[in-house]
Amino acid sequence: CFAANPQTWPAERLQLLLGFTAMQSPFAVAMEKCESVLVVRNTARNMYSRLWCVTELALAEAYAKKPVHVVGEMPPRAAASGDDVGLNADCSGPEKGMLLETIEKTNVEIDVLVAKIIQAKCGSVFRPSGGCSCVCQ
């Protein structure tokens, strides 16, 4: 997402780029053309407590239908579900409704997928069929 959506743009300019749905965002366009998806987790923050990250995971699953490679570690006490992850994630901007609508349109069981990725070991690879294989410990 950091390479596709201009993260440092003012909110108004970014909104013009994204339009009314994240399904037309530069990130979504990139997902249609990619060969695989790389999820880079970090111990500082559960990325799936951010609604943008949840939306991008839904788009990756819906559009890419390619392997999702998981690297990095989650924060020590990251919850796989709850009041602040998945569909309950926070959004600091006015686009919360648009992001939730985008997730709904993907038909991805996003809370299930978020839980799997949070619980996955570093090096796990998720296949579009829902399977997982661990390639490193």
CSV table of all heavy atoms in Angstrom, one decimal, residues 86-128:
chain,number,residue,atom,x,y,z
A,86,GLY,N,-10.0,-5.9,12.5
A,86,GLY,CA,-10.9,-6.3,11.4
A,86,GLY,C,-11.9,-5.3,11.1
A,86,GLY,O,-11.6,-4.1,11.0
A,87,LEU,N,-13.2,-5.7,11.1
A,87,LEU,CA,-14.3,-4.7,10.8
A,87,LEU,C,-14.4,-3.7,11.9
A,87,LEU,O,-15.1,-2.6,11.7
A,87,LEU,CB,-15.6,-5.4,10.5
A,87,LEU,CG,-15.6,-6.2,9.2
A,87,LEU,CD1,-16.9,-7.1,9.1
A,87,LEU,CD2,-15.5,-5.3,8.0
A,88,ASN,N,-13.9,-3.9,13.1
A,88,ASN,CA,-13.9,-3.0,14.2
A,88,ASN,C,-12.7,-2.1,14.2
A,88,ASN,O,-12.6,-1.3,15.2
A,88,ASN,CB,-14.1,-3.7,15.5
A,88,ASN,CG,-15.4,-4.5,15.6
A,88,ASN,OD1,-16.4,-4.0,15.2
A,88,ASN,ND2,-15.3,-5.7,16.1
A,89,ALA,N,-11.9,-2.1,13.2
A,89,ALA,CA,-10.7,-1.3,13.2
A,89,ALA,C,-11.0,0.2,13.2
A,89,ALA,O,-12.0,0.6,12.8
A,89,ALA,CB,-9.8,-1.7,12.1
A,90,ASP,N,-10.0,1.0,13.6
A,90,ASP,CA,-10.1,2.4,13.6
A,90,ASP,C,-9.8,3.1,12.3
A,90,ASP,O,-8.9,2.5,11.5
A,90,ASP,CB,-9.2,2.9,14.7
A,90,ASP,CG,-9.3,4.4,14.9
A,90,ASP,OD1,-10.5,4.9,14.8
A,90,ASP,OD2,-8.3,5.1,15.2
A,91,CYS,N,-10.4,4.2,12.0
A,91,CYS,CA,-10.1,5.0,10.9
A,91,CYS,C,-10.0,6.4,11.3
A,91,CYS,O,-11.0,7.0,11.8
A,91,CYS,CB,-11.1,4.8,9.8
A,91,CYS,SG,-10.8,5.7,8.3
A,92,SER,N,-8.8,7.0,11.1
A,92,SER,CA,-8.6,8.4,11.5
A,92,SER,C,-9.2,9.5,10.6
A,92,SER,O,-9.3,10.6,11.0
A,92,SER,CB,-7.2,8.7,11.7
A,92,SER,OG,-6.5,8.5,10.5
A,93,GLY,N,-9.7,9.1,9.4
A,93,GLY,CA,-10.2,10.0,8.4
A,93,GLY,C,-11.7,9.8,8.2
A,93,GLY,O,-12.3,9.0,8.8
A,94,PRO,N,-12.2,10.7,7.4
A,94,PRO,CA,-13.7,10.6,7.1
A,94,PRO,C,-14.1,9.5,6.2
A,94,PRO,O,-15.3,9.3,6.0
A,94,PRO,CB,-13.9,12.0,6.4
A,94,PRO,CG,-12.6,12.3,5.7
A,94,PRO,CD,-11.6,11.7,6.6
A,95,GLU,N,-13.2,8.6,5.8
A,95,GLU,CA,-13.5,7.6,4.8
A,95,GLU,C,-14.0,6.3,5.4
A,95,GLU,O,-14.1,5.3,4.7
A,95,GLU,CB,-12.4,7.4,3.8
A,95,GLU,CG,-11.1,7.0,4.4
A,95,GLU,CD,-10.2,8.1,5.0
A,95,GLU,OE1,-10.3,9.2,4.5
A,95,GLU,OE2,-9.5,7.8,5.9
A,96,LYS,N,-14.3,6.2,6.7
A,96,LYS,CA,-14.6,4.9,7.3
A,96,LYS,C,-15.8,4.2,6.6
A,96,LYS,O,-15.7,3.0,6.3
A,96,LYS,CB,-15.0,5.1,8.8
A,96,LYS,CG,-15.3,3.8,9.5
A,96,LYS,CD,-15.4,4.0,11.0
A,96,LYS,CE,-15.5,2.7,11.7
A,96,LYS,NZ,-15.4,2.8,13.1
A,97,GLY,N,-16.9,4.9,6.3
A,97,GLY,CA,-18.0,4.3,5.6
A,97,GLY,C,-17.6,3.8,4.2
A,97,GLY,O,-18.0,2.7,3.9
A,98,MET,N,-16.8,4.5,3.5
A,98,MET,CA,-16.3,4.0,2.2
A,98,MET,C,-15.5,2.8,2.3
A,98,MET,O,-15.6,1.8,1.5
A,98,MET,CB,-15.6,5.2,1.5
A,98,MET,CG,-15.0,4.8,0.1
A,98,MET,SD,-13.3,4.2,0.0
A,98,MET,CE,-12.4,5.6,0.5
A,99,LEU,N,-14.7,2.7,3.3
A,99,LEU,CA,-13.8,1.6,3.5
A,99,LEU,C,-14.6,0.3,3.9
A,99,LEU,O,-14.4,-0.8,3.4
A,99,LEU,CB,-12.7,1.8,4.5
A,99,LEU,CG,-11.7,2.9,4.2
A,99,LEU,CD1,-10.8,3.2,5.3
A,99,LEU,CD2,-11.0,2.6,2.9
A,100,LEU,N,-15.6,0.5,4.8
A,100,LEU,CA,-16.4,-0.6,5.2
A,100,LEU,C,-17.3,-1.1,4.0
A,100,LEU,O,-17.4,-2.3,3.8
A,100,LEU,CB,-17.3,-0.2,6.4
A,100,LEU,CG,-16.6,0.0,7.7
A,100,LEU,CD1,-17.5,0.6,8.8
A,100,LEU,CD2,-16.0,-1.4,8.2
A,101,GLU,N,-17.7,-0.2,3.2
A,101,GLU,CA,-18.5,-0.6,2.0
A,101,GLU,C,-17.6,-1.3,1.0
A,101,GLU,O,-18.1,-2.3,0.4
A,101,GLU,CB,-19.1,0.7,1.4
A,101,GLU,CG,-20.0,0.4,0.2
A,101,GLU,CD,-20.6,1.6,-0.4
A,101,GLU,OE1,-21.1,2.5,0.4
A,101,GLU,OE2,-20.5,1.8,-1.6
A,102,THR,N,-16.4,-0.9,0.9
A,102,THR,CA,-15.5,-1.6,0.0
A,102,THR,C,-15.2,-3.0,0.5
A,102,THR,O,-15.2,-4.0,-0.3
A,102,THR,CB,-14.1,-0.8,-0.1
A,102,THR,OG1,-14.4,0.5,-0.6
A,102,THR,CG2,-13.1,-1.5,-1.0
A,103,ILE,N,-15.0,-3.2,1.8
A,103,ILE,CA,-14.8,-4.5,2.3
A,103,ILE,C,-16.0,-5.4,2.0
A,103,ILE,O,-15.8,-6.6,1.6
A,103,ILE,CB,-14.5,-4.4,3.8
A,103,ILE,CG1,-13.1,-3.8,4.1
A,103,ILE,CG2,-14.5,-5.8,4.5
A,103,ILE,CD1,-12.9,-3.4,5.5
A,104,GLU,N,-17.2,-4.9,2.3
A,104,GLU,CA,-18.4,-5.6,2.0
A,104,GLU,C,-18.5,-6.1,0.6
A,104,GLU,O,-18.9,-7.2,0.3
A,104,GLU,CB,-19.6,-4.8,2.4
A,104,GLU,CG,-20.9,-5.5,2.3
A,104,GLU,CD,-22.1,-4.7,2.7
A,104,GLU,OE1,-21.9,-3.8,3.6
A,104,GLU,OE2,-23.2,-4.9,2.2
A,105,LYS,N,-18.1,-5.2,-0.3
A,105,LYS,CA,-18.2,-5.5,-1.8
A,105,LYS,C,-17.3,-6.6,-2.2
A,105,LYS,O,-17.5,-7.3,-3.2
A,105,LYS,CB,-18.0,-4.3,-2.6
A,105,LYS,CG,-19.1,-3.3,-2.6
A,105,LYS,CD,-18.8,-2.1,-3.4
A,105,LYS,CE,-20.0,-1.1,-3.4
A,105,LYS,NZ,-19.7,0.1,-4.2
A,106,THR,N,-16.2,-6.8,-1.5
A,106,THR,CA,-15.2,-7.9,-1.8
A,106,THR,C,-15.7,-9.3,-1.5
A,106,THR,O,-15.2,-10.2,-2.1
A,106,THR,CB,-13.9,-7.7,-1.1
A,106,THR,OG1,-14.1,-7.9,0.3
A,106,THR,CG2,-13.3,-6.3,-1.4
A,107,ASN,N,-16.7,-9.4,-0.7
A,107,ASN,CA,-17.3,-10.7,-0.2
A,107,ASN,C,-16.2,-11.6,0.5
A,107,ASN,O,-16.3,-12.8,0.5
A,107,ASN,CB,-17.9,-11.5,-1.4
A,107,ASN,CG,-19.2,-10.8,-1.9
A,107,ASN,OD1,-20.0,-10.3,-1.1
A,107,ASN,ND2,-19.3,-10.7,-3.2
A,108,VAL,N,-15.2,-10.9,1.0
A,108,VAL,CA,-14.1,-11.7,1.7
A,108,VAL,C,-14.5,-11.7,3.2
A,108,VAL,O,-15.0,-10.8,3.7
A,108,VAL,CB,-12.8,-10.9,1.6
A,108,VAL,CG1,-11.7,-11.5,2.5
A,108,VAL,CG2,-12.3,-10.9,0.1
A,109,GLU,N,-14.4,-12.9,3.8
A,109,GLU,CA,-14.6,-13.1,5.2
A,109,GLU,C,-13.5,-12.4,5.9
A,109,GLU,O,-12.6,-13.1,6.4
A,109,GLU,CB,-14.8,-14.5,5.6
A,109,GLU,CG,-16.1,-15.1,5.0
A,109,GLU,CD,-16.3,-16.5,5.5
A,109,GLU,OE1,-16.0,-16.9,6.6
A,109,GLU,OE2,-16.7,-17.3,4.6
A,110,ILE,N,-13.4,-11.1,6.0
A,110,ILE,CA,-12.3,-10.4,6.4
A,110,ILE,C,-11.9,-10.7,7.9
A,110,ILE,O,-10.7,-10.8,8.2
A,110,ILE,CB,-12.4,-8.9,6.2
A,110,ILE,CG1,-11.0,-8.2,6.2
A,110,ILE,CG2,-13.4,-8.2,7.1
A,110,ILE,CD1,-10.0,-8.7,5.3
A,111,ASP,N,-12.8,-10.8,8.8
A,111,ASP,CA,-12.4,-11.0,10.2
A,111,ASP,C,-11.7,-12.4,10.3
A,111,ASP,O,-10.8,-12.6,11.1
A,111,ASP,CB,-13.6,-10.9,11.1
A,111,ASP,CG,-14.0,-9.5,11.4
A,111,ASP,OD1,-13.1,-8.6,11.3
A,111,ASP,OD2,-15.2,-9.2,11.7
A,112,VAL,N,-12.1,-13.4,9.5
A,112,VAL,CA,-11.5,-14.7,9.6
A,112,VAL,C,-10.1,-14.6,9.0
A,112,VAL,O,-9.1,-15.1,9.6
A,112,VAL,CB,-12.3,-15.7,8.8
A,112,VAL,CG1,-11.6,-17.0,8.6
A,112,VAL,CG2,-13.7,-15.9,9.4
A,113,LEU,N,-9.9,-13.9,7.9
A,113,LEU,CA,-8.6,-13.8,7.3
A,113,LEU,C,-7.7,-13.0,8.2
A,113,LEU,O,-6.5,-13.3,8.3
A,113,LEU,CB,-8.7,-13.1,5.9
A,113,LEU,CG,-7.5,-13.0,5.1
A,113,LEU,CD1,-6.8,-14.3,4.8
A,113,LEU,CD2,-7.8,-12.3,3.7
A,114,VAL,N,-8.1,-11.9,8.8
A,114,VAL,CA,-7.3,-11.1,9.7
A,114,VAL,C,-6.8,-12.0,10.8
A,114,VAL,O,-5.6,-12.0,11.2
A,114,VAL,CB,-8.1,-9.9,10.2
A,114,VAL,CG1,-7.4,-9.3,11.4
A,114,VAL,CG2,-8.2,-8.8,9.1
A,115,ALA,N,-7.7,-12.7,11.4
A,115,ALA,CA,-7.3,-13.6,12.5
A,115,ALA,C,-6.3,-14.6,12.1
A,115,ALA,O,-5.3,-14.8,12.8
A,115,ALA,CB,-8.6,-14.4,13.1
A,116,LYS,N,-6.4,-15.2,10.9
A,116,LYS,CA,-5.4,-16.1,10.4
A,116,LYS,C,-4.0,-15.5,10.3
A,116,LYS,O,-3.0,-16.0,10.6
A,116,LYS,CB,-5.8,-16.7,9.1
A,116,LYS,CG,-6.9,-17.7,9.2
A,116,LYS,CD,-7.3,-18.3,7.8
A,116,LYS,CE,-8.4,-19.3,7.9
A,116,LYS,NZ,-8.8,-19.8,6.5
A,117,ILE,N,-4.0,-14.3,9.7
A,117,ILE,CA,-2.7,-13.6,9.5
A,117,ILE,C,-2.1,-13.1,10.8
A,117,ILE,O,-0.9,-13.2,11.0
A,117,ILE,CB,-2.9,-12.5,8.5
A,117,ILE,CG1,-3.1,-13.1,7.1
A,117,ILE,CG2,-1.7,-11.6,8.5
A,117,ILE,CD1,-3.3,-12.2,6.0
A,118,ILE,N,-2.9,-12.7,11.7
A,118,ILE,CA,-2.4,-12.3,13.0
A,118,ILE,C,-1.8,-13.5,13.8
A,118,ILE,O,-0.7,-13.4,14.4
A,118,ILE,CB,-3.5,-11.6,13.9
A,118,ILE,CG1,-3.8,-10.3,13.3
A,118,ILE,CG2,-3.1,-11.5,15.4
A,118,ILE,CD1,-5.0,-9.6,14.0
A,119,GLN,N,-2.4,-14.6,13.7
A,119,GLN,CA,-1.9,-15.8,14.3
A,119,GLN,C,-0.8,-16.6,13.6
A,119,GLN,O,-0.1,-17.4,14.1
A,119,GLN,CB,-3.1,-16.8,14.6
A,119,GLN,CG,-4.1,-16.2,15.6
A,119,GLN,CD,-5.4,-17.0,15.6
A,119,GLN,OE1,-5.6,-17.9,14.8
A,119,GLN,NE2,-6.2,-16.7,16.6
A,120,ALA,N,-0.6,-16.2,12.3
A,120,ALA,CA,0.4,-17.0,11.5
A,120,ALA,C,1.8,-16.8,12.0
A,120,ALA,O,2.2,-15.7,12.5
A,120,ALA,CB,0.3,-16.5,10.0
A,121,LYS,N,2.6,-17.8,11.7
A,121,LYS,CA,4.0,-17.7,12.0
A,121,LYS,C,4.7,-16.9,10.9
A,121,LYS,O,4.3,-17.0,9.7
A,121,LYS,CB,4.7,-19.0,12.2
A,121,LYS,CG,4.2,-19.8,13.4
A,121,LYS,CD,4.9,-21.1,13.6
A,121,LYS,CE,4.4,-21.6,14.9
A,121,LYS,NZ,4.6,-22.9,15.2
A,122,CYS,N,5.9,-16.3,11.2
A,122,CYS,CA,6.7,-15.7,10.1
A,122,CYS,C,7.0,-16.7,9.1
A,122,CYS,O,7.4,-17.8,9.4
A,122,CYS,CB,7.9,-15.1,10.7
A,122,CYS,SG,9.1,-14.5,9.5
A,123,GLY,N,6.8,-16.3,7.8
A,123,GLY,CA,7.1,-17.2,6.7
A,123,GLY,C,5.9,-18.0,6.2
A,123,GLY,O,6.0,-18.7,5.2
A,124,SER,N,4.7,-17.8,6.8
A,124,SER,CA,3.5,-18.5,6.4
A,124,SER,C,3.1,-17.9,5.0
A,124,SER,O,3.3,-16.8,4.7
A,124,SER,CB,2.4,-18.3,7.4
A,124,SER,OG,2.6,-18.9,8.6
A,125,VAL,N,2.6,-18.8,4.2
A,125,VAL,CA,2.1,-18.4,2.9
A,125,VAL,C,0.6,-18.9,2.8
A,125,VAL,O,0.3,-20.1,2.9
A,125,VAL,CB,2.9,-19.1,1.7
A,125,VAL,CG1,2.3,-18.6,0.4
A,125,VAL,CG2,4.4,-18.7,1.9
A,126,PHE,N,-0.3,-18.0,2.6
A,126,PHE,CA,-1.7,-18.3,2.5
A,126,PHE,C,-2.0,-18.4,1.0
A,126,PHE,O,-1.7,-17.5,0.2
A,126,PHE,CB,-2.6,-17.2,3.2
A,126,PHE,CG,-2.5,-17.3,4.6
A,126,PHE,CD1,-1.5,-16.6,5.3
A,126,PHE,CD2,-3.4,-18.0,5.4
A,126,PHE,CE1,-1.3,-16.7,6.7
A,126,PHE,CE2,-3.3,-18.1,6.8
A,126,PHE,CZ,-2.2,-17.4,7.4
A,127,ARG,N,-2.7,-19.4,0.6
A,127,ARG,CA,-3.2,-19.6,-0.8
A,127,ARG,C,-4.6,-19.1,-0.9
A,127,ARG,O,-5.4,-19.1,0.1
A,127,ARG,CB,-3.1,-21.1,-1.1
A,127,ARG,CG,-1.8,-21.7,-0.8
A,127,ARG,CD,-0.7,-21.4,-1.8
A,127,ARG,NE,0.6,-21.9,-1.4
A,127,ARG,CZ,1.7,-21.5,-1.8
A,127,ARG,NH1,1.8,-20.4,-2.6
A,127,ARG,NH2,2.8,-22.0,-1.4
A,128,PRO,N,-5.0,-18.7,-2.1
A,128,PRO,CA,-6.4,-18.2,-2.3
A,128,PRO,C,-7.5,-19.2,-1.9
A,128,PRO,O,-8.5,-18.8,-1.5
A,128,PRO,CB,-6.4,-17.9,-3.8
A,128,PRO,CG,-5.0,-17.7,-4.2
A,128,PRO,CD,-4.2,-18.6,-3.3
